Amino acid sequence: MRNFDQFTITQAVLERVANAPDPRIRAISEALVRHLHDFIREVRPTQAEWEAGIKFLTDTGHMCTGTRQEFILLSDTLGVSMLVDAITHDHQTAVTESTVLGPFYVETPPEAPCGTDISGTLAGEPMYVSGTVATADGTPLADAIVDVWHSDEDGYYDVQHAGADLVARARFRTDAQGRFHFWSIRPAAYPIPHDGPVGKMLEAQGRHPWRPAHVHFMIDAPGHEKLVTHVFVAGDTYLDSDAVFGVKDSLIRTFDPHPPGTAPDGREMDRPWCALAYDFRLNPVSEKASRAA
């Protein structure tokens, strides 16, 4: 088979990938070829434009480091991460909604007892966070793992500072009643890293790089689906234009302001502070997920 033109080459490639022994790889490859070829026929790129596209992907790869994942940023800002999330969790009902992981999660963060102040030496308004983890019907889940992380008051994460300690992130475990609590500082809205290829793409598309202020949560309990979500600050300027399309109404909460005084855990506060409370509900592991595991 030879002498292909713009109309015959697609079928030729499909016939080649049809030999893939794994049915899932075969299905994915066939869909990729069909949609990619249709995309090229629709936009009809010049050779220079195609080379620019290849360079964009190359530069995206070069921008990735141990603490920065430019391809996740690309997926997030094109809405693909949230699309995958929506497809994965289209069965959710009365449980906490999920959203994107984001590029700044750290595997196995430092574990701390409930009540710990995880802000380290960061300056900012003190923030008391409390919550519960339970099943969909409200049964408390003891010893659930609760990973948290968030930005500082200037909108930066610890991993964005060279050589900095891990702060404003930790791993907690719920008590027998499914409860957890900790102290930190109030996070701020921030721009996603836009000094690389994704930033140039956003500028070319006439878009801003900002995310509304939020606290990340990743919650895991045996027999239940892992929850990856945020809780957003009510009233934030960027709730309706989040650069990564991650905001959901059910995940917005008021970070209640409090004057100096006694906090819920007995801590005496000599300056104003804020409080975030959120109760999380987890889905049981589905039969499909169990088979995949």
Side-chain angles (χ1 to χ4, degrees):
M1 299 174 65
R2 58 185 71 177
N3 301 321
F4 305 113
D5 60 25
Q6 61 178 301
F7 303 107
T8 62
I9 191 169
T10 302
Q11 185 57 39
V13 179
L14 289 173
E15 290 175 2
R16 301 277 179 91
V17 302
N19 294 322
D22 187 301
R24 181 61 174 164
I25 291 177
R26 182 166 64 251
I28 292 172
S29 299
E30 289 173 345
L32 173 64
V33 170
R34 288 196 307 271
H35 291 287
L36 182 58
H37 284 217
D38 285 344
F39 168 77
I40 294 299
R41 277 188 285 265
E42 178 182 342
V43 302
R44 302 184 68 82
T46 64
Q47 191 66 37
E49 289 172 334
W50 182 245
E51 291 173 359
I54 296 296
K55 183 178 185 303
F56 172 79
L57 293 176
T58 301
D59 292 344
T60 299
H62 287 164
M63 204 72 189
C64 296
T65 68
T67 57
R68 174 166 175 171
Q69 234 300 350
E70 194 78 359
F71 275 109
I72 290 179
L73 283 178
L74 180 60
S75 174
D76 290 351
T77 53
L78 290 177
V80 176
S81 298
M82 281 305 301
L83 176 58
V84 172
D85 181 80
I87 291 170
T88 302
H89 299 103
D90 66 349
H91 59 288
Q92 285 190 337
T93 53
V95 298
T96 304
E97 292 191 281
S98 56
T99 189
V100 293
L101 174 65
F104 297 122
Y105 178 67
V106 173
E107 295 284 348
T108 60
E111 187 160 344
C114 284
T116 299
D117 187 336
I118 65 172
S119 63
T121 59
L122 294 177
E125 178 184 357
M127 175 180 66
Y128 178 72
V129 180
S130 62
T132 62
V133 179
T135 63
D137 65 5
T139 303
L141 287 169
D143 206 35
I145 295 173
V146 182
D147 287 358
V148 300
W149 66 105
H150 63 81
S151 72
D152 61 24
E153 66 173 355
D154 296 318
Y156 292 100
Y157 287 77
D158 48 7
V159 294
Q160 293 179 278
H161 299 290
D165 294 330
L166 294 179
V167 291
R169 77 170 68 235
R171 171 169 292 174
F172 300 98
R173 293 180 185 269
T174 57
D175 66 12
Q177 286 74 48
R179 300 172 301 189
F180 69 92
H181 65 282
F182 64 92
W183 284 91
S184 193
I185 61 168
R186 182 183 176 116
Y190 62 88
I192 61 170
H194 55 103
D195 56 339
V198 171
K200 293 178 182 177
M201 179 192 75
L202 293 177
E203 183 178 2
Q205 293 172 342
R207 298 167 56 190
H208 71 69
W210 285 84
R211 299 215 65 205
H214 57 272
V215 178
H216 292 263
F217 292 87
M218 177 185 286
I219 303 176
D220 200 6
H224 292 78
E225 294 180 3
K226 181 181 294 185
L227 173 67
V228 176
T229 195
H230 312 352
V231 178
F232 296 91
V233 178
D236 191 282
T237 301
Y238 300 104
L239 287 174
D240 292 317
S241 61
D242 179 13
V244 307
F245 308 96
V247 178
K248 297 178 180 178
D249 288 342
S250 68
L251 302 178
I252 300 172
R253 286 292 185 275
T254 299
F255 285 46
D256 295 316
H258 292 273
T262 305
D265 65 345
R267 182 176 180 179
E268 293 297 327
M269 302 299 296
D270 59 3
R271 57 185 174 129
W273 54 283
C274 67
L276 164 64
Y278 200 98
D279 295 322
F280 298 90
R281 299 292 179 265
L282 305 187
N283 257 326
V285 174
S286 64
E287 290 184 12
K288 179 180 180 181
S290 297
R291 290 195 300 268

